[in-house]
Amino acid sequence: MANQKKPRNVLVIHGPNLNMLGKREPDIYGDMTLEVINAQLLELGKKQGLTVEVFQSNHEGNIVDKIQEVAGTCSGIIINPAAFTHTSIAIRDALLLLDIPIVEIHLSNIYKREPFRHKSMIADISTAQITGFGPDGYTMALEGIVKMIG
Ligand code: DQA
């Protein structure tokens, strides 16, 4: 057992409307598509020797289902709950099932935007939060998780 390495797998969850990146409010979210962001994460995961799974849904319940599915098998999670950040107790409760690093990420700086975006339902249960770095935030989050899980 001593020499056996723990499996290292990270789940990246993208919430509603993030599938429209590239077309969606590019002045706020930039012009990089989700496909490109995901490809960068998979590539970085490969370099770091860990498995990265990406998941996007526009539906709150599907995100809850996905979090429940990986509970107990995943070593870290990166989540941009998008609009659900500000509303979803269900996603918060699902994340509370996990005993692994959770990185909350936002492309835009949510604290510089409308007041309703200043409240995150998951900030106080996340290990770290990255907000306002655009797509670079995702690779920063993955590098941070790699350091956390060793
Ligand atoms: C977002 C910020 C949210 O307020 C918004 O609803 C999103 C994207 C971001 O990445 O900046 O859909 O999470």
Side-chain angles (χ1 to χ4, degrees):
M1 262 334 230
N3 284 333
Q4 216 167 325
K5 279 197 174 161
K6 285 190 283 180
R8 299 195 313 157
N9 52 325
V10 173
L11 173 66
V12 183
I13 296 181
H14 306 288
N17 298 307
L18 294 174
N19 55 320
M20 299 309 287
L21 287 179
K23 294 191 186 117
R24 176 189 181 202
E25 300 178 272
D27 46 320
I28 296 175
Y29 298 114
D31 51 18
M32 193 178 282
T33 63
L34 191 61
E35 287 70 24
V36 173
I37 291 173
N38 285 341
Q40 288 180 347
L41 288 169
L42 297 183
E43 182 64 31
L44 180 62
K46 223 187 250 174
K47 275 193 202 141
Q48 297 283 357
L50 50 88
T51 310
V52 174
E53 182 187 357
V54 293
F55 175 82
Q56 191 276 329
S57 179
N58 293 324
H59 306 279
E60 186 177 21
N62 289 351
I63 295 173
V64 170
D65 286 345
K66 188 69 192 174
I67 294 168
Q68 289 183 6
E69 186 190 308
V70 303
T73 62
C74 186
S75 17
I77 195 158
I78 295 169
I79 181 164
N80 183 347
F84 293 143
T85 306
H86 317 298
T87 60
S88 181
I89 297 170
I91 291 174
R92 175 190 173 90
D93 285 350
L95 289 170
L96 285 169
L97 290 166
L98 309 176
D99 187 19
I100 54 173
I102 298 169
V103 179
E104 174 185 355
I105 167 157
H106 302 283
L107 293 145
S108 62
N109 180 351
I110 56 173
Y111 302 104
K112 253 183 114 175
R113 299 184 62 193
E114 305 95 317
F116 66 84
R117 294 185 204 274
H118 298 179
K119 173 75 191 161
S120 162
M121 300 301 285
I122 68 164
D124 64 314
I125 59 152
S126 295
T127 314
Q129 187 191 57
I130 294 178
T131 187
F133 283 101
D136 287 346
Y138 285 94
T139 44
M140 293 162 78
L142 189 57
E143 277 163 359
I145 282 211
V146 168
K147 286 191 182 151
M148 284 178 210
I149 66 182

